[in-house]
Amino acid sequence: MTDETLFTDVCQTLERAGFDITSAQSGEGTGLRIRQEGDFVVVSWVPSSELDPANRQDAEYEGIRAALRQALTEILTQAGYVARPNEDSSEGWVSRA
């Protein structure tokens, strides 16, 4: 069973917090991306080339990823969701409390 409104509710929560959302289905390659997986919403971030002006293929963004994980976790938790960041990837899972 899928929570049909969770995706919309999470998107609206993050948009109200000032985030620009890119749907994973939109074909966009960068930005904050959200997709539905069963009763969870998966939130991930793909950096854009503007963050790496040298255009290095090996660029690491761990500092930015850590700050973003913390911000998303705080915002979603305060909004009443259960947010589970994955420390090993750029994804985190969100469900209803």
Side-chain angles (χ1 to χ4, degrees), residues 33-35 40-45 69 72-73 76 82-87 89-95:
R33 298 172 57 169
I34 300 179
R35 70 180 187 276
F40 295 91
V41 168
V42 179
V43 179
S44 62
W45 176 71
R69 265 193 305 267
L72 291 170
T73 300
L76 293 166
V82 175
R84 296 183 199 106
N86 183 342
E87 302 297 327
S89 77
S90 62
E91 295 187 337
W93 295 271
V94 182
S95 62

Side-chain angles (χ1 to χ4, degrees), residues 10-33:
V10 169
C11 286
Q12 289 174 348
T13 298
L14 293 176
E15 286 169 347
R16 282 191 305 270
F19 286 95
D20 186 20
I21 308 296
T22 301
S23 169
Q25 287 80 26
S26 73
E28 304 258 343
T30 63
L32 189 62
R33 298 172 57 169

